[in-house]
Amino acid sequence: MAEDESAEAAAEEGAAGGVDYAARAADILGFSRWWQIAAAAGMMAAVSPYQYVWSSIEQPLANSLDIALPALGAVFSFYVVFQSLSQFPAGKWRDSRGPGTLTFLAAILAGGGYIGLAYATSLWQLYLLYSLGAVGVGIVYTVAVNTAVKWFPDRTGLTTGVGTMAFAAGSALVVPYVRANATVAGYGDVLRNIGIGILLVTLVGSFLLRDPPKDWLDRTDDADGDGDEGLAASIRGRDYSTREMLSTWQFWLLYAMFIAMASADLLVIANVVRFAENFGLAALIATLSATLLPIAAGVSRLILGEATDRFSRKRVMAGSFLLAGLFRVGLVAAGEAGNGAVFVAFVLGAMFFSSPLYVYFPSLLADYYGSANSSGNYAVLYTAKVGGGVFSGTVAGYLVATLGWTPTFALGGALAVAAGLAVFVLRPPSGSGLEAAESAAAD
């Protein structure tokens, strides 16, 4: 283990301009900081069924409880609202008191929520249980993403990608299991087994995670003598409080972009099965789409997250969002043509380029506003996902009923293109200390 940590330290020291982040972390933890990412990723994978398995369990739930599907669409909207809004108080707590107690609470809520679904007998119980579980998911999410931000200021894109990849791809093994057993008779056992898995994995994570001390990268006492020049942007720039961040126009543009991309992303996630069925595509196409969708979403977060560490974060982000919009337009065309193979391919392309939004935004936010208050600050930005959840659930249901599936999904593509174009307007806040560096990079 010591040799592995030395090799990691040597490699990352060279990449980080002489600042030995890995060795400093190992001195504090007593082991490689990558174990923190492994724990965070495990928890993210465990709670991912709440988001990525919903489209596969809503039909058997509706049949069993004799509930109309539009009413169940509100369940997913409630999930997004509570998952998003829970992150701000959780993030503020984590920034000041650490992740341990929070993740223990998350294990009880997220695991218990899914177990409870197996015994639900009415719509209000579904609303309550999924919302309580969503709070647990929100806690896990903000803890996991900001574990990467806090321990890896030099590799934020890659490590955030690992965690959010696990959140997306973690369901890839669960979806086939659910769709094979999600009958009126069998779905109760499915839900209970998933809930037990969520509970156990998240409990383990609650005992493993730690936060670095606030002075672990003291800028005024750099042993390498390089001062601030070798430090990552999230460390080198000014640390903004949440109130200060809210007073900058850059935050509000990021917020609008997040709403647009979350709407486009969740629209596909929540409706891909019904969208395929609407065009009369074979059940196998719907199953393949639902199964491969989280894999594409997860792999993209790792690949494009690493790309943002190596190249211009903004350029990668802009290109990704523009392509996400174009693939959504192609997805609609494939469905109308009845071409199942192309439909699946465009589902994968659409998700590959939209899902890294959950890597781009925390990384760019930490660059612009610092890492000290990253959990609370990103939690505020993440509330924009509420808009995406409402659009993909309640609003999408209304649009489909009045306009049909094709205009609704085409609108999702237009939102992604608009977010991609907005990236070109972004620049660091005035007074952040990063303006000169961004201008030099652009030149």
Side-chain angles (χ1 to χ4, degrees), residues 39 46 92 172 213 215 232 250 332 343 359 386 391 402 428:
K92 296 296 286 185
D215 60 350
Q250 286 89 342
V332 172
F343 181 88
V359 176
V386 172
F391 178 85
T402 56

Side-chain angles (χ1 to χ4, degrees), residues 30-362:
F31 48 83
S32 171
R33 58 183 175 161
W34 282 98
W35 286 108
Q36 295 291 294
I37 300 301
M43 293 193 305
M44 290 281 264
V47 300
S48 65
Y50 273 91
Q51 180 158 311
Y52 289 93
V53 175
W54 173 250
S55 66
S56 296
I57 67 171
E58 62 175 341
Q59 187 67 63
L61 282 172
N63 293 340
S64 175
L65 302 179
D66 193 23
I67 298 172
L69 280 175
L72 282 186
V75 174
F76 192 77
S77 292
F78 275 119
Y79 157 75
V80 175
V81 169
F82 282 94
Q83 190 246 0
S84 303
L85 296 184
S86 64
Q87 292 196 37
F88 179 67
K92 296 296 286 185
W93 175 287
R94 187 264 176 84
D95 282 335
S96 61
R97 304 188 186 186
T101 302
L102 276 174
T103 47
F104 182 84
L105 174 63
I108 303 301
L109 291 173
Y114 239 90
I115 292 171
L117 288 176
Y119 303 98
T121 58
S122 62
L123 182 60
W124 73 265
Q125 292 174 349
L126 294 181
Y127 287 162
L128 177 63
L129 290 165
Y130 223 79
S131 297
L132 289 174
V135 172
V137 177
I139 294 172
V140 168
Y141 198 97
T142 193
V143 166
V145 167
N146 287 284
T147 293
V149 171
K150 291 179 181 297
W151 282 110
F152 285 82
D154 53 325
R155 306 290 297 279
T156 304
L158 173 62
T159 52
T160 303
V162 171
T164 56
M165 175 191 70
F167 187 68
S171 295
L173 297 178
V174 179
V175 169
Y177 166 64
V178 171
R179 288 188 64 80
N181 297 280
T183 63
V184 172
Y187 82 97
D189 290 339
V190 170
L191 296 173
R192 184 168 52 251
N193 292 340
I194 293 174
I196 292 171
I198 293 172
L199 177 66
L200 294 177
V201 173
T202 312
L203 281 175
V204 172
S206 71
F207 290 104
L208 293 177
L209 290 184
R210 292 172 55 188
D211 276 351
K214 294 184 181 299
D215 60 350
W216 79 293
L217 292 173
D218 187 351
R219 287 180 283 187
T220 63
D221 186 26
D222 190 343
D224 298 308
D226 292 327
D228 288 358
E229 292 303 316
L231 293 171
S234 61
I235 301 296
R236 187 174 69 251
R238 172 188 167 193
D239 285 318
Y240 283 73
S241 68
T242 300
R243 184 183 298 272
E244 291 171 332
M245 178 185 71
L246 292 173
S247 68
T248 66
W249 65 264
Q250 286 89 342
F251 171 79
W252 294 107
L253 179 57
L254 287 168
Y255 199 87
M257 292 165 56
F258 201 120
I259 291 176
M261 285 308 305
S263 296
D265 192 64
L266 292 171
L267 180 64
V268 178
I269 292 170
N271 299 286
V272 67
V273 171
R274 284 195 288 161
F275 190 49
E277 291 171 349
N278 168 74
F279 291 115
L281 298 175
L284 176 61
I285 298 302
T287 299
L288 280 174
S289 298
T291 302
L292 297 178
L293 180 154
I295 296 176
V299 170
S300 71
R301 296 176 190 191
L302 188 63
I303 294 174
L304 296 180
E306 171 71 359
T308 64
D309 288 333
R310 295 179 176 273
F311 309 105
S312 166
R313 203 182 305 280
K314 285 172 52 179
R315 290 178 182 174
V316 173
M317 188 175 180
S320 179
F321 290 170
L322 291 171
L323 287 170
L326 294 177
F327 269 100
R328 275 162 175 76
V329 174
L331 174 62
V332 172
E336 291 185 329
N339 192 319
V342 176
F343 181 88
V344 173
F346 275 97
V347 167
L348 300 185
M351 295 309 299
F352 185 90
F353 290 109
S354 68
S355 285
L357 78 100
Y358 301 107
V359 176
Y360 303 145
F361 282 105

Side-chain angles (χ1 to χ4, degrees), residues 398-420:
Y398 172 78
L399 292 175
V400 169
T402 56
L403 301 176
W405 282 105
T406 294
T408 302
F409 266 67
L411 177 58
L415 289 172
V417 170

Side-chain angles (χ1 to χ4, degrees), residues 416-436:
V417 170
L421 294 175
V423 175
F424 296 102
V425 181
L426 283 171
R427 62 177 182 271
S430 177
S432 65
L434 302 172
E435 302 92 331

